[in-house]
Amino acid sequence: MDDQTTEGSPEATEGAGPGTAAGAGSATDAADSGAAPSRRALLGWGGAGLALGAVAAGGTVAAVRGGDRIEPAAESGAAVPFHGTHQAGIATAVQDRLHFASFDVTTKDRAELVQLLKDWTRAAERMTAGRTIGEGAYGGVAEAPPDDTGEALGLKPSRLSLTVGFGPSLFAENRFGLADRRPDALVDLPGFPGDNLDPARTGGDLCVQACADDPQVAVHAIRNLARIGFGKVAVRWSQLGFGKTSSTTPGAQTPRNLFGFKDGTENIDGADPAALDRHVWVSAKDGAGWLAGGSYLVARRISMRIESWDRTSLQEQEDIFGRDKGEGAPVGKAHEHDKPNLKAMLPTAHVRLAHPDAHHGVRMLRRGYSFTDGTDGLGRLDAGLFFLAYQRDVRDAFIPVQQSLARSDALNEYIQHVGSAVFAVPPGVRDTGDWWGRALVS
Amino acid sequence: MRPARLSVVSAIAAVAALTAVTGCTEKSDSKAAAGAVRVTADDTSCDVSKKEFPSGHVELAVENKGSKVTEVYLLFPDDRIVTERENIGPGTKATLTAEVKSGSYEIACKPGMKGDGIRQKVTVTGGTAAARSPEKDAAVAAYRKYAQEQADATLPKVKVFTDAVRAGDIEGAKKAYAPSRVGWERTEPVAESFGDIDPLVDTRADGLEKGQKWTGWHRLEKELWQDKKLSPDAPGLADELDKDLADWQKRVGTAVITPTSMANGAKELLDEVAAGKITGEEDRYSHTDLVDFKANVEGAQQSYELLKPVAVKNDAALVTELGKQFAALNTLLDKYRAGGAGSGEFVSYDTVREPQRKELSDAVNALAEPLSRLAAAVVK
């Protein structure tokens, strides 16, 4: 196959130097008290849960600058604060698991869409705090199905973050009167050479990214939001992910992708406000005021030809990436974090093509995951990388980088892009009176 | 097909706890006891000797003075049968007995053994009375009537199908197949509450247990569409289908139906759609799934409409949502009608492509989710 597309690994946007470790011991609030509370314990907590939120939300610009959303080394059971200037799940330290869902809005009624966003927000506040939604999973009316599906009972909050995005199709003329609010930067992605996009894995009006350290907690969140949404939205496609392929806490060990290579060595540090402001957060000056404090998300399902890769010689594998397999050092260097000498790499090497130096310093914040959906009918691993990248403007970031990779990347022989979507990710929910997308649809 | 439903089982338990009655008819036409309620039936009347009697052991001494064979029933307010006696010939007597709790009941005589019968309200006094809601009783009685009507209307349609099978008329049988299933599909949760009938008439090849003989609609469906010829067993299978469905018709009035089982039955009908029709598994040879689909939705809607007066008091928003989602699903289904509005004919499901199936599935989800809350709105 000649599929040439790219961006197989989050090498794509390496920064210049190693990021600062975000402080291995600086656990946030909930984690400070030692073992995180279980969901069951939180059921009775109401007030305490709110207090946690208040500390985290802080509300002031100063607190935000100081690292709102940053929660680098929280214990894996802790709760990630839901409220803030930015949505959790972007700069937040990357959790171990993902359930990502794309939805079509089926209602034509704007008021219903607004109500859905409010209902989702209230449910997300509860679930991210480790609480059940509605009246809980048991103890209600015997004749009715419980409000909460119950599979997360007894589990810790597990750093669940829920992040919402709006696809270009939501802004279509004659739908919800949002056509004039579509940001210029929310473009439809162009076709890239080698793309083999499955419509059933592409696009969507809304997305929800659920990240957690426990897959059951992430799946519970998407399942319950989908349930709340029936009749107003329908799941278009969804993707489970495991084994984060990049880290927003660069001090931690760099994760490897399914090709066995270290990825995201120098991803944007979630605790580096300057880099976030420059490359990730949309500014009011960028155009659409409602999106200030938000970001743009590109999601790509990248299928990997695992068996072919595994039969490829070590030399070729390393040449293709431009790094060695053991240490992760760039070609000709000794250590993973050594500054790469791009000219020493093959012109088609993945790192060389994806590096910020090849793209006027452009960077994206990547938080993709490996996936495997078992095997296909031929016994081949149905696996790959679910690429997720946040950026301030896709026209400066993902699109040019991907065009370059799609054209030349040596990795294209082993990967193929089979799903694609782009979303405008609104700013954070400020407090319990606020809701996802309020500034857009109000 | 599936084993007894949870909702049916729990409904039985609930009803047993509430009303408690063992109805039985005496085997012989022995003389009535002194305290018996005398029921004098003829072709136009149904007189009872007393309209109020104490709870406990009750005996009805029936005399048919008319010219037609009659039946006599003691009925709950929701039309469920407390006790009954069929085939009481002109000039003959019969005795019915039952243990009855206090409350309101009806005695019905059915000259010619047809229709709703001639009814008399009676009151049983003393003891503890089961609390009843006239609105809920009316809903259950109306649904029971609907279930009976569906069964009654189904038998002649099945006969068109089975006659064609017996005659070796493949085209005629194919044409009659889907219409013969509509009444069954509309009332499937009630039909399935008779756990012994469902496996005989509505089992698919993959639902067979080891050693189970495959009978019923889907076996014949396979012969007609896949094998394209009728096997030597076909006439016998047709006979069995007639017989098993006649059994259903006869027993449908005795099904335990409660407001809760009606509401959950409506939701189960949508589950049937989601499990078998959306996937095209139900009628995998004939691809007439959309006919069954529509019938399931109609049956669910019937339950909903009958329960609406109760539900609207407890959850008006839910009723509004259900009305909207039933309409949306029906509008969507109308797009697939083959013979014009009201024809009952739908396009072959193998022509319905994946994105369209997704759209149907989304509409089913949109309806089934609020429908799952109907029972709670009814029992509040």
Side-chain angles (χ1 to χ4, degrees), chain A residues 145-324:
Chain A
D147 288 345
D148 188 284
T149 54
E151 72 273 29
L153 286 177
L155 300 178
K156 293 177 177 177
S158 305
R159 292 198 300 160
L160 173 68
S161 63
L162 292 166
T163 315
V164 150
F166 304 132
S169 48
L170 193 71
F171 298 84
E173 293 280 356
N174 304 322
R175 267 196 98 179
F176 299 105
L178 299 174
D180 61 353
R181 313 211 73 185
R182 178 173 171 169
D184 291 342
L186 184 62
V187 295
D188 295 300
L189 297 180
F192 299 101
D195 276 6
N196 183 22
L197 304 182
D198 176 356
R201 295 189 188 282
T202 294
D205 298 325
L206 295 175
C207 73
V208 180
Q209 171 195 281
C211 297
D213 291 321
D214 183 328
Q216 182 117 334
V217 170
V219 169
H220 169 264
I222 293 295
R223 173 177 170 188
N224 282 274
L225 293 178
R227 196 172 168 217
I228 290 169
F230 283 136
K232 303 173 194 75
V233 293
V235 176
R236 183 178 174 88
W237 53 269
S238 79
Q239 181 66 57
L240 291 170
F242 64 91
K244 61 188 179 191
T245 58
S246 41
S247 168
T248 51
T249 48
Q253 183 181 340
T254 305
R256 291 175 185 268
N257 60 24
L258 290 182
F259 283 156
F261 276 75
K262 285 191 179 179
D263 268 334
T265 298
E266 289 154 16
N267 196 18
I268 292 177
D269 184 349
D272 179 352
L276 292 170
D277 283 341
R278 182 165 165 212
H279 298 290
V280 178
W281 305 131
V282 172
S283 155
K285 290 178 288 186
D286 293 344
W290 67 266
L291 195 61
S295 189
Y296 293 94
L297 169 63
V298 170
R300 305 278 287 185
R301 179 177 155 106
I302 303 168
S303 184
M304 290 177 168
R305 296 194 177 88
I306 299 289
E307 290 79 5
S308 302
W309 177 261
D310 293 345
R311 291 191 277 267
T312 300
S313 73
L314 176 62
Q315 185 63 54
E316 188 174 346
Q317 290 185 3
E318 293 184 335
D319 286 347
I320 287 171
F321 268 96
R323 287 184 177 279
D324 78 39

Side-chain angles (χ1 to χ4, degrees), chain B residues 14-270:
Chain B
V15 167
L18 276 178
T19 49
V21 206
T22 21
C24 65
T25 54
E26 303 268 320
K27 290 257 166 22
S28 70
D29 291 343
S30 60
K31 277 189 187 162
V37 180
R38 289 188 305 283
V39 180
T40 310
D42 68 16
D43 297 351
T44 55
S45 66
C46 184
D47 292 329
V48 297
S49 62
K50 42 185 167 180
K51 299 204 169 177
E52 199 172 297
F53 38 89
S55 60
H57 185 78
V58 170
E59 191 168 310
L60 302 181
V62 182
E63 182 172 6
N64 183 3
K65 292 187 171 176
S67 63
K68 295 177 181 170
V69 175
T70 196
E71 293 171 344
V72 172
Y73 293 85
L74 178 61
L75 299 166
F76 285 109
D78 65 2
D79 261 13
R80 191 159 62 86
I81 298 165
V82 179
T83 182
E84 62 163 328
R85 184 67 186 264
E86 298 175 343
N87 287 313
I88 306 170
T92 64
K93 294 179 178 179
T95 305
L96 288 69
T97 60
E99 294 298 320
V100 184
K101 279 200 171 180
S102 60
S104 296
Y105 294 83
E106 283 188 335
I107 291 173
C109 305
K110 291 191 189 176
M113 295 172 53
K114 279 182 187 155
D116 291 340
I118 304 157
R119 299 192 173 207
Q120 300 288 346
K121 287 193 189 304
V122 294
T123 306
V124 177
T125 56
T128 47
R132 304 211 65 105
S133 147
E135 269 181 335
K136 292 181 187 178
D137 282 343
V140 170
Y143 187 76
R144 186 181 301 286
K145 190 175 171 196
Y146 172 76
Q148 185 68 57
E149 285 168 357
Q150 292 304 313
D152 293 347
T154 294
L155 261 71
K157 287 179 182 162
V158 169
K159 191 159 183 303
V160 175
F161 173 62
T162 52
D163 280 349
V165 169
R166 279 183 288 261
D169 173 8
I170 289 182
E171 285 315 305
K174 281 180 164 181
K175 210 167 159 230
Y177 169 78
S180 76
R181 293 174 47 75
V182 169
W184 174 272
E185 290 289 326
R186 280 177 182 155
T187 59
E188 205 161 346
V190 177
E192 286 180 346
S193 71
F194 305 109
D196 53 335
I197 302 176
D198 184 56
L200 296 172
V201 304
D202 200 25
T203 296
R204 302 191 294 262
D206 44 11
L208 292 170
E209 290 180 33
K210 197 169 181 224
Q212 183 186 347
K213 183 189 168 196
W214 189 16
T215 58
W217 272 302
H218 295 300
R219 161 86 190 263
L220 290 165
E221 180 202 359
K222 176 175 177 289
E223 293 192 4
L224 291 166
W225 273 274
Q226 180 161 296
D227 305 344
K228 298 185 168 54
K229 61 179 167 50
L230 289 163
S231 72
D233 292 341
L237 289 164
D239 293 346
E240 282 183 64
L241 185 58
D242 283 340
K243 178 176 69 69
D244 294 332
L245 289 172
D247 184 27
W248 163 55
Q249 181 198 20
K250 190 160 174 294
R251 287 158 67 189
V252 68
T254 67
V256 175
I257 299 173
T258 65
T260 310
S261 77
M262 280 173 68
N264 284 328
K267 178 240 165 203
E268 284 164 11
L269 282 164
L270 269 291

Side-chain angles (χ1 to χ4, degrees), chain A residues 106-119:
Chain A
T106 51
T107 181
K108 294 183 168 64
D109 185 344
R110 180 166 163 149
E112 282 199 347
L113 173 62
V114 168
Q115 190 58 48
L116 170 83
L117 291 167
K118 290 177 179 173
D119 292 347

